[in-house]
């Protein structure tokens, strides 16, 4: 994959069709907290939510077609110094370095857009080795294992927590 084909941009209402093709796929959603989308209308609502307050979200695009997303929940109150990053990619694009490029592109944009965020963290299930590898390649540090931490798609899961701080 030529990295110059990969871009991040805000979602547009017209991305709903493309979004449904990956966000409606249980192979993609089994490791994320949001539910598998079933209709284009649900994709439109999800697009609105991604752009909501306390959330930074971008479509990961190849040749400007939406093939995934990267989002950050922006902390507030006692959590104002941190954000939590998540991402997902359509299955046909797995294993080509797309998520790594996208996360690396997102990091400076988030730190610049939210100067109060000094730490970005990401949590993966312990079995999600591809996601853990993405985080290491993007410069995150593995901090530890949180046992029985997540209730995800009907199952209690151990979580591995990673972070990158502004001084890294
Ligand atoms: C996790 C995910 C985003 C990775 O996207 P991707 O574009 O395929 O990632 P990349 O190609 O940039 O990197 C994947 C790395 O994981 C490695 N990998 C893949 N499967 C693996 C496995 N089972 N065990 C170990 N490493 C694995 C790849 O070899 C690659 O590493 P390398 O470049 O050193 O060879 C994608 O699989 C996805 O969308 N999964 C579903 C949603 C999800 O899990 N999101 C993360 C929630 S925190």
């Amino acid at each position: 994959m030529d990295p110059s084909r990969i871009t991040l941009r805000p979602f547009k209402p017209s991305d709903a069709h493309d979004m449904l093709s990956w966000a409606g796929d249980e192979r993609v959603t089994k490791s994320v907290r949001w539910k598998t989308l079933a209709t284009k209308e649900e994709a439109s609502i999800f697009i609105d939510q991604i752009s909501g307050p306390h959330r930074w979200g971008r479509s990961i695009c190849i040749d400007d077609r939406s093939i995934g997303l990267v989002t950050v929940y922006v902390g507030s109150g006692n959590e104002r110094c941190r954000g939590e990053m998540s991402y997902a990619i359509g299955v046909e694009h797995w294993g080509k370095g797309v998520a790594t490029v996208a996360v690396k592109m997102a990091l400076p944009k988030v730190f610049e857009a939210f100067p109060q965020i000094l730490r970005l963290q990401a949590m993966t299930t312990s079995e999600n080795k591809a996601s853990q590898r993405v985080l290491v390649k993007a410069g995150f540090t593995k901090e530890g294992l949180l046992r029985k931490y997540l209730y995800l798609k009907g199952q209690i899961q151990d979580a591995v927590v990673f972070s990158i701080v502004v001084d890294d």
Side-chain angles (χ1 to χ4, degrees):
M1 171 70 60
D2 173 359
S4 70
R5 294 174 62 197
I6 304 166
T7 53
L8 298 185
R9 61 157 170 76
F11 279 96
K12 302 186 278 199
S14 57
D15 291 324
H17 175 81
D18 286 337
M19 175 185 254
L20 188 59
S21 71
W22 46 267
D25 183 339
E26 286 181 359
R27 293 170 294 176
V28 174
T29 57
K30 85 176 194 21
S31 307
V32 297
R33 297 183 202 199
W34 38 274
K35 68 169 195 152
T36 311
L37 303 185
T39 64
K40 222 172 125 178
E41 288 66 38
E42 286 185 3
S44 297
I45 293 167
F46 192 46
I47 285 172
D48 288 343
Q49 289 169 348
I50 286 167
S51 315
H54 302 302
R55 198 156 173 187
W56 181 93
R58 292 292 181 271
S59 172
I60 301 171
C61 297
I62 295 178
D63 303 333
D64 206 43
R65 292 283 299 267
S66 181
I67 59 94
L69 89 174
V70 53
T71 65
V72 173
Y73 281 101
V74 178
S76 58
N78 293 341
E79 299 176 356
R80 73 185 65 191
C81 55
R82 66 178 190 251
E84 182 151 350
M85 181 172 274
S86 180
Y87 40 82
I89 302 275
V91 170
E92 69 264 40
H93 302 289
W94 286 6
K96 300 174 189 165
V98 177
T100 305
V101 169
V103 169
K104 283 182 176 170
M105 287 168 83
L107 291 172
K109 293 180 194 296
V110 174
F111 282 126
E112 194 184 320
F114 304 98
Q116 79 278 15
I117 291 186
L118 305 178
R119 165 193 169 94
L120 281 169
Q121 63 187 37
M123 275 183 210
T124 79
T125 58
S126 52
E127 63 195 27
N128 194 346
K129 304 295 182 201
S131 183
Q132 292 170 40
R133 184 77 190 118
V134 166
L135 292 166
V136 168
K137 287 194 291 177
F140 281 70
T141 298
K142 181 175 170 179
E143 292 186 322
L145 177 71
L146 302 172
R147 295 178 298 165
K148 302 200 186 302
Y149 191 78
L150 289 171
Y151 182 70
L152 211 55
K153 304 293 181 311
Q155 278 191 313
I156 302 290
Q157 304 264 6
D158 292 346
V160 188
V161 63
F162 289 78
S163 75
I164 188 164
V165 298
V166 75
D167 304 323
D168 281 346

